[in-house]
């Protein structure tokens, strides 16, 4: 029988979340590790889908299950989960991948509970073993421990992956067969859960996941002015400013969308320069795949130096001032 | 309206010590020796939310955990914060549970408490951190549920107006009671325990229920009821060469620029910088 790998394509506010493309790239790779005939498919729900199917095909979807309805324009787990669970029961995929976005983190486990199957959470690596089972590496204890999680007996083997963990491949010419899912009968009204609105914040500057170089500030920044200095340096480079959790908590940084770590973003820029960061696993977990890693910290014993290619024991204020002075 | 509120709390090793967590080379188990067990930090936001609602509408707050017997200490802390009663689900048969089995067992415990208007969970635990129990518990309980709630107000007797996080934004919802909410740490600021709270907690009930106290299907419990199975565990090796840059701040800045250049980062020239600053050539 044909082995099927599915990817949930999250489509919100008329935009496809790019994690779907990262997952399709990974799904193709996993498919090549399975014997016999395989098929990579995307599951797409929403309204006004536009050219999204074409994009999904270019990144490896051979089939697209499309549930299109105005009732689905706003995400609602009470509508989305049963549609997906029913589709799974009909088609019986082997593997089903979700992006661990705000929506995917809720929808994945919800669908799994309806199907009584397992989900490997926030995987950082995936492979197919000798029994042709999916083996997923799951971080715990803030990334200090990795555990391999399998789902040997129930199907599908589900897994969630945070955006930025897997690398998105190059688009190729491709056509996908589109299977329309009949959702003509669904109604968002009368449910005990009603989605009222979705508000999107405009991101200023270069988004973290697109930046070649990221300047990351920790609690050692000490004040909002210093964060603004970091932003200025990032702007000079055309890069992005990021931070650790205390910097968000203190209100120095604009919000969690610039926070790196287990509960923030996972990034892999060409270079990462950190200032006043101690090196807690919760943070390191989100930046460990960066190319070059440099850290400035006044404490020579700071754990962050162990995970850096280069480090300097210095007052970050002085180094920041010098960098800005030299390049501005 | 008197509300029946249940808060799920998980005892976890204190995350401030996770740098010290390791794997025993002989037993291949995670060692967390000497690390104190605390209430999962974000679960305190759940307790706080429950106590606030109770203050507003009256009712009762029950905290529940599935954990080893010594978790009574953590339950006492929740009672000292102001919860009215506590339930500990503890049985060898519950051990080795993944999120599906954990949430099933919690659902059965909540069923035995006898009805609820709102169940609170945290978004995620500090240790396992799968962030799955909340939504899956909502499914087992058969009520509407939302995850990563950072804002909440009662919009009517039977309905809450809730905000949840979205990628670079948020969503707004109306959710009818009974429901389950997975709350994030931005929702509120958990209260501290008072001396009075500790004294009052001494007289509050803690029920301990095992498998035989619950109306459960054995094959849904613990390791047996877990569709996921754990394979090898390991600690990722993240060590890098750690070359030290020395000298004055200026020399360090120069060295950083050189390293960036060597790594292929575009080093801005004065002209580029000016154009970013608004084109004042
Ligand atoms: C469940 C959970 C999830 C979490 N998720 C995240 C996450 O996603 N991302 C995250 O970042 N954190 C996260 N955390 C928090 C994390 O555990 C650490 O507390 C945090 O990363 C520490 O941030 P920091 O290094 O900036 O601050 P600190 O640990 O306080 O370190 C500050 C450093 O600055 C140095 N310093 C001070 N002044 C100067 C100066 N003038 N010049 C140079 N150096 C200076 C100090 O020597 C120190 O090393 C999480 C925690 C929990 C419990
Ligand atoms: C290395 C490792 C990897 C793991 N990977 C997976 C995996 O990929 N998939 C999987 O299904 N399981 C996995 N597990 C098992 C999982 O950690 C347990 O099922 C755990 O009991 C619940 O999950 P959690 O800690 O991730 O909770 P989360 O889902 O992160 O917790 C969310 C909220 O649920 C409530 N809650 C959770 N547990 C309890 C409890 N025992 N009592 C009361 N309330 C609770 C709390 O309110 C908490 O804030 C893993 C465990 C380890 C050690």
């Amino acid at each position: 029988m044909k082995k099927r790998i599915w990817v949930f394509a999250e489509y919100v506010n008329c935009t496809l979340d790019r994690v779907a493309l990262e997952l399709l790239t990974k799904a193709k790779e996993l498919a090549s590790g399975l014997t016999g005939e395989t098929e990579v498919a995307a599951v797409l729900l929403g309204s006004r889908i536009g050219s999204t199917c074409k994009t999904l095909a270019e990144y490896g979807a051979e089939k697209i299950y499309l549930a299109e309805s105005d009732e689905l324009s706003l995400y609602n787990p009470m509508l989305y989960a049963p549609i997906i669970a029913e589709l799974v029961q009909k088609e019986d995929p082997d593997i089903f991948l979700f992006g661990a976005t705000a929506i995917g983190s809720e929808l994945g486990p919800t669908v799994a509970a309806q199907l009584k199957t397992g989900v490997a959470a926030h995987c950082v690596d995936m492979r197919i073993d000798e029994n042709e089972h999916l083996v997923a590496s799951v971080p715990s204890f803030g990334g200090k421990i990795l555990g391999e999680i399998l789902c040997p007996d129930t199907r599908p083997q589900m897994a969630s992956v945070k955006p930025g963990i897997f690398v998105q491949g190059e688009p190729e010419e491709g056509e996908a067969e589109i299977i329309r899912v009949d959702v003509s009968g669904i109604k968002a009204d009368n449910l005990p859960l009603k989605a009222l609105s979705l508000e999107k914040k405009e991101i200023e500057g270069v988004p973290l996941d697109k930046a070649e170089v990221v300047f990351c500030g920790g609690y050692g920044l000490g004040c909002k002015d210093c964060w603004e200095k970091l932003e200025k340096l990032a702007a000079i480079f055309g890069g992005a400013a990021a931070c650790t959790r205390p910097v968000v908590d203190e209100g120095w940084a604009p919000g969690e969308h610039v926070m790196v770590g287990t509960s923030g973003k996972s990034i892999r820029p060409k270079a990462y320069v950190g200032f006043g960061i101690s090196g807690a696993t919760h943070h390191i977990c989100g930046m460990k795949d960066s190319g070059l890693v440099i850290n400035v910290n006044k404490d020579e014993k700071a754990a962050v130096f162990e995970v850096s290619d280069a480090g300097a024991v210095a007052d970050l204020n002085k180094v920041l001032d010098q960098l800005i002075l030299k390049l501005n | 309206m008197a509300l029946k509120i249940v808060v799920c709390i998980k005892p976890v090793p204190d995350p401030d010590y996770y740098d010290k967590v390791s794997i025993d080379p002989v037993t291949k188990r995670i060692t967390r020796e000497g690390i104190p067990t605390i209430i999962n930090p974000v679960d305190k936001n759940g307790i706080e939310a429950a106590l606030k609602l109770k203050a507003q509408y009256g009712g009762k707050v029950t905290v529940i955990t599935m954990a080893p017997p010594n978790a009574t200490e953590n339950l006492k802390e929740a009672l000292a914060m102001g919860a009215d009663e506590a339930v500990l689900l503890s049985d060898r048969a519950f051990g080795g549970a993944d999120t599906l089995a954990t949430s099933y067992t919690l659902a059965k415990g909540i069923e035995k408490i006898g009805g609820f208007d709102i169940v609170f969970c945290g978004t995620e635990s500090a240790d396992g951190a799968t962030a799955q129990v909340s939504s899956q518990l909502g499914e087992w309980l058969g009520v509407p549920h939302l995850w990563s709630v950072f804002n909440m107000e009662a919009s009517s007797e039977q309905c809450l107006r809730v905000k949840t996080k979205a990628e670079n934004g948020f969503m707004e919802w109306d959710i009818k009671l009974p429901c389950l909410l997975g709350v994030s740490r931005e929702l509120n600021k958990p209260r501290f325990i008072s001396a009075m709270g500790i004294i009052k907690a001494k007289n509050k009930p803690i029920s301990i229920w095992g498998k035989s106290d619950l109306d459960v299907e054995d094959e849904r419990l613990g390791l047996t009821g877990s569709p996921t199975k754990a394979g090898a565990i390991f600690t990722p090796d993240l060590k890098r060469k750690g070359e030290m840059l020395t000298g004055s701040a200026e020399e360090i800045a120069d060295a950083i620029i050189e390293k960036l250049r060597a790594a292929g980062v575009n080093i801005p020239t004065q002209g580029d910088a000016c154009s970013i600053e608004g084109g004042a050539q």
Side-chain angles (χ1 to χ4, degrees):
Chain A
M1 216 177 77
K2 201 188 267 182
K3 299 213 173 76
R4 299 184 163 92
I5 305 183
W6 284 14
V7 168
F8 174 67
E10 181 177 324
Y11 185 76
V12 171
N13 220 13
C14 295
T15 5
L16 177 70
D17 196 294
R18 78 183 171 102
V19 71
L21 307 180
E22 296 166 3
L23 294 180
L24 280 172
T25 306
K26 192 70 188 179
K28 272 203 294 187
E29 186 192 314
L30 292 174
S32 68
L34 293 166
T35 53
E37 218 187 328
T38 59
E39 179 180 83
V40 172
V43 177
L44 178 61
L45 284 74
S47 71
R48 284 179 286 142
I49 297 299
S51 62
T52 310
C53 290
K54 185 165 173 292
T55 310
L56 293 170
E58 285 170 356
Y59 284 87
E62 297 158 78
K63 197 181 260 182
I64 296 166
Y65 296 95
L66 175 62
E68 203 174 6
S69 159
D70 286 343
E71 301 287 312
L72 297 172
S73 61
L74 275 181
Y75 161 74
N76 183 333
M78 293 195 86
L79 286 174
Y80 275 47
I83 293 171
I84 297 171
E86 197 176 307
L87 198 58
V88 166
Q89 271 160 340
K90 211 166 103 199
E91 304 286 330
D92 198 20
D94 287 90
I95 294 175
F96 198 175
L97 309 177
F98 280 73
T101 57
I103 286 175
S105 296
E106 173 175 85
L107 189 57
T110 300
V111 168
Q114 294 182 357
L115 297 165
K116 310 283 182 283
T117 190
V119 195
H122 310 144
C123 308
V124 293
D125 200 8
M126 280 192 250
R127 62 182 172 88
I128 302 289
D129 74 2
E130 62 283 4
N131 301 318
E132 306 220 352
H133 289 149
L134 178 72
V135 182
S137 299
V138 171
S140 64
F141 293 93
K144 192 69 207 263
I145 304 277
L146 285 177
E148 288 191 336
I149 299 291
L150 292 94
C151 181
D153 305 321
T154 53
R155 290 292 173 271
Q157 308 162 78
M158 291 178 62
S160 73
V161 183
K162 287 177 68 166
I165 294 288
F166 294 140
V167 180
Q168 169 183 327
E170 292 298 323
E172 286 165 20
E173 278 292 312
E175 283 283 324
E177 181 191 352
I178 295 180
I179 313 281
R180 287 200 170 260
V181 182
D182 179 18
V183 284
S184 54
I186 64 155
K187 276 258 159 286
D189 277 352
N190 305 325
L191 289 174
L193 177 64
K194 201 175 183 140
L196 304 173
S197 63
L198 167 72
E199 307 275 338
K200 284 274 182 186
K201 255 190 259 166
E202 275 309 310
I203 305 264
E204 284 175 36
V206 183
L208 256 187
D209 50 34
K210 300 249 160 57
E212 238 188 22
V213 51
V214 169
F215 296 91
C216 195
Y219 189 60
L221 289 179
C223 63
K224 195 172 165 104
D225 285 353
C226 198
W227 163 260
E228 281 163 7
K229 243 192 253 177
L230 195 75
E231 280 187 319
K232 185 168 172 193
L233 180 63
I236 293 173
F237 271 91
C243 66
T244 60
R245 197 163 90 171
V247 179
V248 178
D249 289 351
E250 293 292 334
W252 303 336
E256 270 191 351
H257 61 283
V258 292
M259 181 175 94
V260 170
T262 44
S263 33
K265 301 271 184 215
S266 295
I267 56 169
R268 45 169 80 236
K270 212 181 252 182
Y272 164 109
V273 191
F275 296 91
I277 292 168
S278 61
T281 56
H282 289 113
H283 177 69
I284 302 307
C285 189
M287 51 63 72
K288 63 179 173 44
D289 296 324
S290 305
L292 172 71
V293 175
I294 306 178
N295 266 288
V296 179
N297 192 306
K298 68 175 182 191
D299 175 8
E300 61 177 322
K301 294 206 183 67
V304 78
F305 289 134
E306 284 176 31
V307 294
S308 306
D309 298 301
V313 181
D315 181 353
L316 66 90
N317 287 291
K318 293 197 180 125
V319 177
L320 267 179
D321 286 341
Q322 282 295 331
L323 282 167
I324 292 173
L325 193 74
K326 279 177 187 295
L327 298 169
N328 203 354
Chain B
M1 124 175 127
L3 291 171
K4 284 200 220 168
I5 308 174
V6 178
V7 188
C8 298
I9 65 171
K10 183 183 183 193
V12 297
D14 188 339
D16 282 352
Y17 296 80
Y18 285 1
D19 297 319
K20 302 197 170 47
V21 173
S22 61
I23 295 169
D24 186 305
V26 181
T27 62
K28 301 279 178 220
R29 310 188 103 194
I30 301 168
T31 60
R32 40 182 102 163
E33 235 166 86
I35 303 182
T37 300
I38 62 167
I39 296 177
N40 182 43
V42 72
D43 297 352
K44 286 195 175 174
N45 298 85
I47 299 175
E48 181 64 35
L51 294 175
K52 280 223 176 78
L53 281 173
K54 182 191 159 181
Q56 214 174 343
Y57 298 100
K60 182 151 127 188
V61 176
T62 308
V63 289
I64 185 168
T65 188
M66 180 187 93
N70 54 7
T72 44
E73 287 312 310
N74 304 104
L75 290 172
K76 278 181 198 156
E77 188 185 343
L79 294 174
M81 276 179 80
D84 298 296
E85 56 174 35
V87 173
L88 170 61
L89 305 174
S90 204
D91 197 306
R92 275 184 184 280
F94 302 159
D98 70 358
T99 63
L100 191 68
T102 299
S103 50
Y104 173 77
T105 311
L106 286 171
K108 289 296 173 179
I110 292 171
E111 214 170 78
K112 184 170 163 103
I113 293 170
F116 63 89
D117 296 297
I118 308 175
V119 174
F120 286 109
C121 282
T123 40
E124 63 183 7
S125 71
D127 54 354
T130 62
Q132 295 181 167
V133 169
S134 164
S135 308
Q136 297 194 319
L137 177 55
E139 287 298 311
W140 284 116
L141 292 170
V143 295
H145 53 88
L146 285 171
W147 181 81
S148 90
V149 171
F150 68 93
N151 188 288
M152 176 188 89
E153 57 190 79
S155 56
S156 78
E157 290 255 309
Q158 283 311 313
C159 189
L160 299 172
R161 175 71 48 96
V162 159
K163 285 182 187 159
T164 59
K165 291 186 199 171
E167 299 307 290
N168 305 320
F170 66 89
M171 282 188 80
E172 197 163 22
W173 309 81
D174 274 340
I175 187 166
K176 283 208 178 113
L177 309 189
C179 67
L180 176 143
L181 301 178
V183 304
S184 79
R185 61 196 192 94
E186 291 83 1
L187 179 65
N188 55 39
K189 223 172 153 326
R191 66 194 62 189
F192 291 108
I193 293 172
S194 66
M196 199 51 179
I198 296 173
I199 294 168
K200 279 193 186 157
K202 290 211 163 74
N203 294 319
K204 294 178 180 174
I206 300 182
S207 313
I208 302 178
W209 296 336
K211 186 178 91 168
S212 57
D213 300 302
L214 303 178
D215 177 22
V216 289
E217 295 170 46
D218 283 10
E219 67 277 10
R220 293 237 169 266
L221 297 174
L223 199 57
T224 323
S226 297
T228 68
K229 304 285 179 240
I233 51 170
F234 47 97
T235 44
D237 181 16
L238 304 175
K239 272 210 169 37
R240 298 198 185 214
K241 59 178 179 285
E243 172 199 344
M244 293 317 273
L245 311 173
T246 52
S248 66
E250 186 179 359
E251 286 163 332
I252 289 170
D254 282 332
I256 291 175
I257 293 171
E258 271 327 300
K259 291 256 168 218
L260 290 175
R261 194 194 307 277
V265 172
N266 245 336
I267 306 299
T269 61
Q270 296 240 318
D272 293 343
C274 281
S275 63
I276 285 163
E277 291 292 297
Q281 299 279 335

